[in-house]
Amino acid sequence: MSVLDIYVLGAPILRQETRPVEVVTDEIRRLIDDMFATMYAAKGIGLAAPQVGRSERLTVIDVGDDRQLVLINPEIVLAEGKQRAEEGCLSIPDIYGEVERAARVVVRALDRDGKPFELEGTELLARCIQHEVDHLHGRLFIDYLSVVKRRAALAKWEKLRKGEKSHTRKVVPAEVAEHHHRDEEL
Ligand code: K2U
Ligand code: ZN
């Protein structure tokens, strides 16, 4: 398993449609394992393939209920109610904004063995499923902000980027980051 680089806002792949996975191969399962490793290292609770530079329609989720969810070719078949909450995105670090989403969703997808299943989500799981499925269709949470809030977020993003040209960021796994911190203290 390897921790992959994360593509950030400005990378064209984040705005492209993904391709449905026709056959769930061992290579796809290796990508899934690398996406989980990358998501945990980046302290995320979801990660979509375009965020690691891949155009397959698949996402991984772990909201902390000890379930590793793999959603291949996910389709939200029911969305009801409303909820508002602050969101961030591993591809737009340090930018946050309030987003209204459906309170409850039912999603149909294939699992890591290619088997179809249906999953109901509410609260944080519903929000994460919607955030990740958006990634698979080139949508980002900033698209839901008001013009004023989006403009402020993009201005802050440009300032934080300080002319940085790269479209990817390296994920420093939590324990390694801690280690660096300890070294500095010594
Ligand atoms: O797809 C991603 O970029 C990972 C997102 C997923 C997400 C965003 C907002 C709300 C729910 C899920 C996040 O960066 S994961 C970070 C995080 C951690 C705990 C709670 C909310 C977000
Ligand atoms: Zn995101």
Side-chain angles (χ1 to χ4, degrees):
M1 294 223 276
S2 34
V3 174
L4 306 173
D5 290 351
I6 290 185
Y7 283 64
V8 297
L9 185 66
I13 193 159
L14 290 177
R15 289 305 194 177
Q16 288 162 4
E17 259 301 338
T18 50
R19 280 180 297 106
V21 174
E22 302 300 336
V23 182
V24 183
T25 61
D26 287 343
E27 201 278 329
I28 291 287
R29 276 184 280 273
R30 193 167 28 256
L31 170 61
I32 288 169
D33 294 341
D34 290 349
M35 285 173 66
F36 272 117
T38 304
M39 180 188 78
Y40 292 127
K43 292 193 170 42
I45 56 172
L47 192 67
Q51 294 181 277
V52 291
R54 295 288 294 257
S55 57
E56 282 84 353
R57 189 165 299 169
L58 78 92
T59 178
V60 298
I61 290 175
D62 179 347
V63 292
D65 58 1
D66 284 335
R67 277 187 308 173
Q68 287 195 328
L69 297 173
V70 174
L71 302 179
I72 298 174
N73 306 336
E75 274 181 81
I76 292 177
V77 294
L78 183 142
E80 65 184 19
K82 283 184 180 170
Q83 59 166 306
R84 286 190 69 80
E86 174 113 312
E87 293 195 14
C89 181
L90 296 177
S91 294
I92 319 176
D94 307 321
I95 300 295
Y96 301 93
E98 218 186 59
V99 177
E100 181 174 288
R101 300 262 192 200
R104 174 175 174 269
V105 295
V106 173
V107 61
R108 247 182 233 145
L110 303 182
D111 66 14
R112 63 181 297 129
D113 302 316
K115 195 161 134 300
F117 73 101
E118 210 168 83
L119 168 77
E120 184 206 16
T122 57
E123 299 180 5
L124 183 59
L125 179 56
R127 174 169 299 279
C128 191
I129 289 167
Q130 293 169 81
H131 180 110
E132 300 310 329
V133 170
D134 271 354
H135 270 303
L136 301 180
H137 300 289
R139 290 190 295 267
L140 299 172
F141 84 89
I142 54 171
D143 303 342
Y144 297 95
L145 303 182
S146 68
V147 171
V148 171
K149 289 252 191 306
R150 183 166 50 253
R151 198 174 292 144
L154 292 173
K156 182 179 175 190
W157 169 253
E158 288 312 320
K159 204 156 114 306
L160 292 171
R161 294 279 286 163
K162 293 195 208 72
E164 170 65 52
K165 287 275 169 285
S166 164
H167 278 159
T168 58
R169 73 180 178 106
K170 291 223 165 296
V171 176
V172 184
E175 60 284 354
V176 172
E178 225 163 81
H179 185 69
H180 281 319
H181 185 67
R182 257 203 312 278
D183 285 353
E184 274 153 24
E185 270 175 353
L186 297 176

